[in-house]
Amino acid sequence: MTQPRFPAARPRRLRATPALRAMVRESALSPADFIWPIFVMAGQDAEEPVPSMPGVVRRTVDRVARAARRAEALGIPAICVFPYTAPEDRTEDCAVAWSTDNIANRAIRAIKDAAPGIAVMTDIALDPYNINGQDGYVRGGEVVNDETVAALVRMALAQAEAGADILGPSDMMDGRIGAIRDALESEGHQKATILSYTAKYASGFYGPFRDAVGASGALKGDKTTYQIDPANSEEALRMVARDLSEGADMVMVKPGMPYLDICRRVKDRFGVPTFAYQVSGEYAMLRAAAQNGWLDGRATMMESLMCFKRAGCDGILTYFAPEAAEVLGG
Ligand code: PBG
């Protein structure tokens, strides 16, 4: 595309006033773009801070209900629930993962009771319940695939029973989307949607999250035999094609900001609902710099979120959700 030469073209004309800038703005951010990840813990009427994620707390199930009503008031359509598990919930067989009464499933029901209009998203992976912090069973030093998928199916069904609207398999095992979809169909959960963590990279940016869910001390080894190599982008596209063919309704790229190229390629190639996860490490970096006075916290928060929309995302999982929604609403 050619532009007229200066001075016929003076691009600054369209940047000159807020009204003109608003008229030509290409992307828009609204609270409806956010999925708010929250951490749930056992107990009553309590919250505790997550030290590596300033401003983020773990809350008890009753406080989750309060968060759900806050989300509703702010126009945030969805909450994603992550459990903080005590060491005694971490076992060899990970059985707490599919217990109807584990705190994640209780939180799903509490959100549905408190704010029925909020969509509840889950995380499907064994790491909060696994003795070694891995997303799948470890046998002979290896994370095994098929046995893990069978457990993930049980976990997914328990979440759907609890009333989850959006199931989020984050484990990166092969065949899990198809297996979960088949089980949902045959067990009467035709309306449960799957937002697959499709392009989930083996990233150093998940560190603060692992503190938040109590997995840091538990994790033995790394996740490079199942999460994607950060050097790859064609592979991410193959994963999207595969997950869609197996029955995913929506796909996710994770982490977010360092992977905006992947977001754009996925959206352009497939045109399906595409989400990015602005993960714990991204949040921690921005917060820490702001707390030191090195960055303008509010400006960089809003800019980072807008960048996802520009990159083609339909929405963002972000710990900034309530704060950013407040900025947008006020
Ligand atoms: C667990 C899971 C992780 C995150 C979401 N689900 C951590 C991991 O894979 O180790 C990370 C989220 C974040 O860092 O904010 N399968």
Side-chain angles (χ1 to χ4, degrees), residues 86-230:
E88 59 271 21
D89 290 337
R90 299 175 169 275
T91 59
E92 205 76 58
D93 65 359
C94 308
V96 179
W98 52 86
S99 128
T100 333
D101 271 327
N102 70 29
I103 43 170
N105 290 333
R106 280 169 39 217
I108 294 169
R109 283 186 231 106
I111 296 170
K112 281 295 170 189
D113 280 348
I118 294 285
V120 184
M121 177 171 168
T122 66
D123 188 75
I124 302 175
L126 298 182
D127 55 325
Y129 308 101
N130 205 345
I131 198 126
N132 49 49
Q134 292 286 351
D135 290 9
Y137 291 123
V138 179
R139 305 287 182 233
E142 263 181 46
V143 175
V144 294
N145 196 86
D146 301 10
E147 190 184 346
T148 299
V149 169
L152 298 172
V153 166
R154 299 178 75 172
M155 191 176 179
L157 286 174
Q159 294 171 350
E161 291 295 340
D165 305 276
I166 306 169
L167 304 180
S170 72
D171 53 284
M172 291 302 279
M173 297 298 116
D174 290 325
R176 88 263 211 229
I177 301 299
I180 291 170
R181 176 57 76 203
D182 285 350
L184 291 171
E185 283 293 320
S186 60
E187 299 297 322
H189 298 295
Q190 288 85 356
K191 280 160 65 181
T193 67
I194 298 177
L195 199 183
S196 175
Y197 284 66
T198 297
K200 178 169 178 179
Y201 285 87
S203 172
F205 288 101
Y206 308 146
F209 173 95
R210 292 176 189 165
D211 294 340
V213 297
S216 300
L219 182 60
K220 306 249 181 335
D222 61 33
K223 300 191 177 185
T224 47
T225 68
Y226 44 104
Q227 299 178 346
I228 302 178
D229 185 331

